[in-house]
Structure formats: C-alpha cells, structure tokens
C-alpha cells in the first residue's frame, strides 16, 4: 500500500509527547512490512539538522476569491529510509515552539493547522504520490478526511484513497473560531451540528470523526471509553455514531531506548536473571534524590504535573502514605500549584519524599531502573508508555485501570500467576492509598513472590511488529479489501 502519514510531530525531528513516538515507530514498522510510506509534518524552526533538508519545490495553496493564496515551500529529510516531507511556511512554523509558549497556545493554531492539512494533500498530488491510505493523527490533522470528501471528492487522483484518524488524546480537540479557517471554504461554509462547537466555533476533531473512513484509539480500553459520557471528553455521541468504524490498537514500545540490559543512562545494567544489580540503580537514585541509601521500599513517578496524571488522587493521601517506612521520588514539571504543594510536602518529609522539578530524560531512566514500584494513577490514559518501560525494568506499575494502563498491566489480586503490577478502579484518593499499602505489604512480606512478578513483568513485551498488523487490517477494511489481499 501507499501510505501518506500526516503528523504534527515526529520523534527525531520535533516532539512534545507520545504522539511523536508513534509517528516515528509506526511508519518505520509499516516500511519494514513492505509498504511505501511518506511522512508529512511542519518544517518547525526547532527541527534538528533542518539546514540539511533537500528542497523539493514551491507550491501555492488556493484559498477563496478575495483572499490571498498562500505560497509555501516543501523540503525533505529522511527517517531511516522513510521520506519526511516538511511543509515550510515561516509565518506559521518558524517559531520557538510547536504549539505554545509559556503555557499559552498560539492564538492562530487553527489557522496554522488548517493550512497544514490542506497543504499535505496538495503536495501529495503535486509530487505524484497517490496514497491508498491517508493516516491522520489527532486534531491537528483531522481536517484532512473532511477535505478528501469535499475539496477532493471529484478529484480522480484521490478517487480510491481512504482516510484513517488515530486519536492519541481525545481531550485535545482543536476548537477554533470559524474565521481562522478562512483558507478552507469547504469547512467554514459547512453548518453541520456534528462539527460545530456553538455557532461560531469549529471542532477539528469532530470534523475528523465525522469524515474519516476508520478511526482508532491507541488502546482497546480507550476506544471503549471514548463512547462513554465520562470518557468521551464531551464527544461520546460523535464516537457512538461511528462505533462500527472505531478500533482500539495498543501502541508498541521502543525497547531500543528502554532496555535495562543495554541502557547507557543507568549506572548498572541488569536483566531478569541479574535482578540483584537493580539494587545498585536504586542506591544511585536514592543518592541523586538526597534520600538515605538502603533497602527502603521506593515508589517512583515521572510525569507532567497535571490533573490528568492523577495528582489530585495522590496529593490528598501522600502524607498518610509517608507515615510508613517508604521513600517516594516524584520527577516532573507542570502546573505551578502542584509544583508548590510537592515542594512544601518535601520540606515537611525530607527523609521520605523527594520532588525533583525537572524534565530530564536521564533522570526518567534512573527512576524507572531504581524504583521498586512506579506510580501511574491517571484519570485517563489513552495508551501510556511509562508503564511499559516500568515492566521492562522490573519496576511494578501501580495504575488506575483505565485506557492503555488497563490493557497492559495485570493486577496481582486478580490474576496472581500472570500478574505484572497493581491496579485500582475508582478515581478516589482512598482507593489509591489502599493500593499503595497493598503493594507495600506485598513487597515486605513476600519477597520471593515479588521477584517472580518482577520477572513476569520483564518478559512482557508490547512490540510494534505486532501492533502494525492491526493497523494493516484496519487499512484493508477501510479499502474494502478482504483479508487474503
């Protein structure tokens, strides 16, 4: 198949979150399966090595009568052997950051990504790359399926092209004033309840969900949650109406960077047969965090400090948990009020709680390797990668059973033989506290069983070579091909 993969960020070029990891790993996995894949993304100022890009040509995006058409350039870099086409329009993309500065989103994000969506399809046609599948990601590219079925409805070049939309986080929907989309009359002139947010605003994600041929979420549980009032981020009805076309496909994990046997960022390498060496990583983490070095049970957490990550479940019970002989290390930056509370708590419990206000990859690796348990009490988690890293490092995850967390971690009390961690259901602080205590007792009272569960966790793998087969099947279903083709 010819696959045009459209993403607002791609790891190795520009990244703010997990979407970038998928936008690198999935195209590479598809390429290895023999498909012809081209990635399209914006030519951001922050792209590493951008001066080495090759110039592919200049194009002009027609808008509407009375408005100026938009001239832009296209450049190309390579991701291994996958071509990455970069849409170069300095007014929109030559900025300090991708979407926001100082926690404030760029006010013209709607205009920027409306232009990007239209340019992607124009470039594909101009260079003669006829896609079987256009694979879009999140709200930033969600206008593409709509443009395929409006602007390009009668265009013979895209006649047999089908679109797929992956939802990495349905909480971010891209809601913008209609006048920001002046370059796309097909969108601004449509008054359809299914894409509107009030009369004057258009919801990009709703456009994608209405027009894409197939839709997938990044885990089976998250796909189900999107159909519910509580988990649908206000769009449950939109997802329910497309339920027969919605899939859940778990993300793979890139173990090249996250393997305790080869990880260059941890002080001692280890594997499931040399778990004693993990203890040395724990001592290094304790030293880095300013805690006493020893065998005290250590609970680690690395995340953006936001409500989504479950801080509002953790903070009310943290001091109750710290009465036990434990150590808690939390690494992250985010909402100033949460940073402040953690700093105050650390001052009150300096021997048990270390809060490191940092966004540091090396430190993230050390927390994964040095902790006994890893905390992920998220309110929602479309897929999640940290729990997969934790499993690989023999650090048992403590999760709230939602989204991808629920699909990748097996609770000890539910299935002891296959268990890889601990989970709780209710989004209540006390439910988290009792799970923390359950894990602590297990660690202290059943060391041999704890080691067995660690080894089960370390043998668990979520590979892109498996996930890619589900994506292929979804593409075939979108194209109306039987399994044999």
């Amino acid at each position: 198949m010819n696959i045009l993969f459209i993403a607002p960020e791609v790891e190795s070029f520009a990244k703010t979150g997990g979407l970038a990891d998928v936008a690198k790993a999935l195209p590479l996995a598809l390429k290895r399966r023999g498909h012809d894949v081209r990635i399209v993304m914006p030519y951001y100022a922050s792209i590493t090595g951008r001066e080495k890009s090759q110039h592919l040509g200049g194009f002009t995006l027609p808008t509407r009568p009375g408005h100026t058409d938009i001239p832009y350039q296209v450049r190309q870099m390579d991701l291994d052997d996958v071509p990455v086409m970069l849409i170069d329009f300095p007014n929109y993309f030559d900025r300090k950051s991708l979407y926001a500065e100082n926690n404030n989103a760029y006010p013209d994000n709607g205009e920027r990504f409306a232009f990007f969506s239209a340019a992607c399809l124009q470039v594909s046609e101009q260079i003669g790359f006829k896609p079987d599948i256009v694979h879009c990601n999140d709200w930033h590219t969600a206008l593409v399926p709509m443009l395929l079925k409006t602007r390009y409805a009668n265009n013979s070049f895209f006649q047999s092209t089908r679109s797929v939309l992956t939802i990495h986080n349905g909480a971010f929907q891209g809601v913008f004033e209609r006048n920001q989309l002046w370059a796309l009359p097909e969108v601004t002139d449509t008054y359809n309840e299914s894409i509107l947010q009030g009369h004057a605003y258009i919801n990009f994600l709703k456009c994608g969900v209405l027009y894409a041929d197939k839709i997938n979420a990044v885990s089976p549980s998250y796909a189900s949650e999107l159909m519910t009032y509580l988990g649908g981020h206000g769009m449950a009805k939109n997802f329910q109406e497309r339920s027969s076309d919605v899939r859940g496909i778990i993300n793979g994990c890139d173990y090249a960077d996250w393997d305790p046997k080869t990880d260059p960022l941890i002080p001692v390498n280890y594997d499931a047969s040399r778990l004693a060496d993990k203890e040395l990583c724990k001592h290094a983490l304790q030293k880095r965090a300013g805690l006493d070095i020893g065998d005290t049970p250590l609970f680690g957490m690395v995340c953006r400090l936001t409500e989504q990550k479950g801080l509002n479940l953790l903070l009310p019970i943290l001091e109750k948990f710290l009465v036990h002989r434990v150590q808690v290390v939390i690494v992250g930056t985010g909402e100033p009020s949460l940073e402040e509370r953690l700093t105050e708590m650390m001052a009150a419990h300096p021997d048990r709680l270390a809060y490191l206000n940092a966004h540091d990859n090396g430190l993230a690796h050390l927390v994964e390797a040095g902790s006994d348990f890893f905390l992920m009490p998220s309110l929602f988690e479309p897929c999640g990668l940290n729990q997969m890293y934790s499993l690989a490092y023999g650090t048992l995850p403590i999760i709230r059973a939602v989204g991808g967390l629920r699909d990748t971690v097996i609770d000890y009390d539910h299935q002891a033989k296959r268990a890889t961690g601990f989970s709780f259901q209710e989004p209540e602080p006390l439910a988290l506290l009792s799970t923390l205590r359950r894990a602590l007792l297990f660690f202290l009272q059943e060391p041999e069983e704890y080691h067995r569960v660690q080894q089960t966790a370390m043998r668990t793998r979520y590979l892109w070579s498996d996930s890619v087969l589900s994506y292929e099947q979804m593409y075939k279903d979108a194209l109306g091909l039987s399994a044999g083709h």
Side-chain angles (χ1 to χ4, degrees), residues 133 135 145 149 162-167 208-220 223-224 226-227 237-249 470-471 473-480:
I133 293 290
H135 189 146
K149 292 199 173 159
R162 297 294 175 264
S163 63
V164 163
L165 173 65
T166 295
I167 293 164
V209 169
L210 181 67
Y211 285 95
D213 293 296
K214 297 290 174 193
I215 301 154
N216 81 287
V218 288
S219 70
S224 308
L226 288 172
M227 315 258 185
K237 186 167 171 284
N238 304 75
F239 288 110
Q240 287 164 9
E241 284 168 358
R242 294 298 312 276
S243 61
S244 62
D245 290 311
V246 177
R247 309 279 165 89
I249 303 173
S470 303
Y471 277 102
Q473 190 53 56
M474 179 168 61
Y475 297 161
K476 287 176 181 171
D477 293 345
L479 291 163

Side-chain angles (χ1 to χ4, degrees), residues 403-435:
L405 300 177
R406 177 182 168 181
D407 293 333
T408 51
V409 179
I410 298 169
D411 179 85
Y412 185 78
D413 282 10
H414 292 169
Q415 295 188 55
K417 280 196 169 65
R418 294 178 57 228
T420 52
F422 293 86
S423 68
F424 66 101
Q425 195 79 49
E426 293 304 312
E428 300 292 338
L430 288 177
L432 170 57
L433 180 59
S434 71
T435 309

Side-chain angles (χ1 to χ4, degrees), residues 193-479:
E193 285 294 305
S194 299
I195 67 169
L196 298 180
Q197 195 97 337
H199 188 69
Y201 291 85
I202 287 175
N203 181 315
F204 279 40
L205 194 61
K206 285 182 177 179
C207 293
V209 169
L210 181 67
Y211 285 95
D213 293 296
K214 297 290 174 193
I215 301 154
N216 81 287
V218 288
S219 70
S221 288
Y222 191 56
S224 308
E225 287 161 15
L226 288 172
M227 315 258 185
T228 67
Y229 175 73
L230 276 177
H233 312 290
M235 279 182 59
K237 186 167 171 284
N238 304 75
F239 288 110
Q240 287 164 9
E241 284 168 358
R242 294 298 312 276
S243 61
S244 62
D245 290 311
V246 177
R247 309 279 165 89
I249 303 173
I250 202 85
N251 283 341
C253 175
D254 183 1
Y255 294 102
D257 290 336
W258 293 91
D259 183 348
K261 201 170 12 180
T262 54
D263 189 341
L265 299 175
I266 61 176
V268 184
N269 293 114
Y270 64 92
D271 59 26
S273 65
R274 290 183 294 128
L275 271 168
D277 289 344
K278 181 170 163 60
E279 193 74 12
L280 300 172
C281 296
K282 179 174 178 171
H283 295 166
L285 175 59
Q286 288 168 323
K287 186 177 178 184
R288 174 79 190 269
L291 297 169
D292 288 345
I293 293 171
D295 60 358
T296 306
L298 199 160
F299 294 71
M301 185 175 191
V302 180
C303 67
R304 288 195 319 276
L305 298 183
T306 62
E307 201 170 290
Q308 184 208 325
K309 297 299 177 183
L311 272 298
N312 59 333
L313 303 182
L314 179 64
L315 291 180
I317 54 93
L318 188 50
E319 292 188 294
K320 287 187 178 126
F321 185 57
L322 293 173
V323 303
H324 303 293
R325 190 179 74 85
V326 294
Q327 293 173 338
V328 177
V329 176
I330 298 174
V331 176
T333 59
E335 291 171 23
S337 61
L338 298 174
E339 292 180 354
E340 206 175 298
R341 277 189 71 187
L342 282 168
T343 306
E344 285 166 7
M345 276 191 196
M346 178 168 73
H349 306 274
D351 57 332
R352 304 207 165 179
L353 173 64
Y355 165 54
L356 304 169
N357 185 317
H359 180 71
D360 178 330
N361 188 40
L363 190 51
H365 280 251
L366 185 58
V367 173
E368 289 288 11
S371 305
D372 299 304
F373 296 96
F374 193 90
L375 284 172
M376 289 186 80
S378 307
L379 289 186
F380 69 95
E381 195 66 65
C383 180
L385 285 168
N386 274 100
Q387 82 280 14
M388 296 185 193
Y389 304 153
S390 301
L391 294 171
Y393 283 69
T395 301
L396 304 190
I398 294 173
I399 59 143
R400 191 164 101 74
V402 287
L405 300 177
R406 177 182 168 181
D407 293 333
T408 51
V409 179
I410 298 169
D411 179 85
Y412 185 78
D413 282 10
H414 292 169
Q415 295 188 55
K417 280 196 169 65
R418 294 178 57 228
T420 52
F422 293 86
S423 68
F424 66 101
Q425 195 79 49
E426 293 304 312
E428 300 292 338
L430 288 177
L432 170 57
L433 180 59
S434 71
T435 309
L436 288 170
R437 286 175 171 159
R438 187 156 63 93
L440 176 60
L441 271 176
F442 178 71
F443 180 84
L444 295 171
Q445 294 181 349
E446 304 193 50
E448 285 179 15
E449 185 68 347
Y450 170 80
H451 286 306
R452 183 190 66 76
V453 176
Q454 269 185 308
Q455 288 171 323
T456 305
M458 292 178 84
R459 284 193 295 269
T460 305
R461 283 284 185 267
Y462 293 96
L463 301 170
W464 275 110
S465 53
D466 297 329
S467 301
V468 71
L469 303 178
S470 303
Y471 277 102
E472 280 184 344
Q473 190 53 56
M474 179 168 61
Y475 297 161
K476 287 176 181 171
D477 293 345
L479 291 163

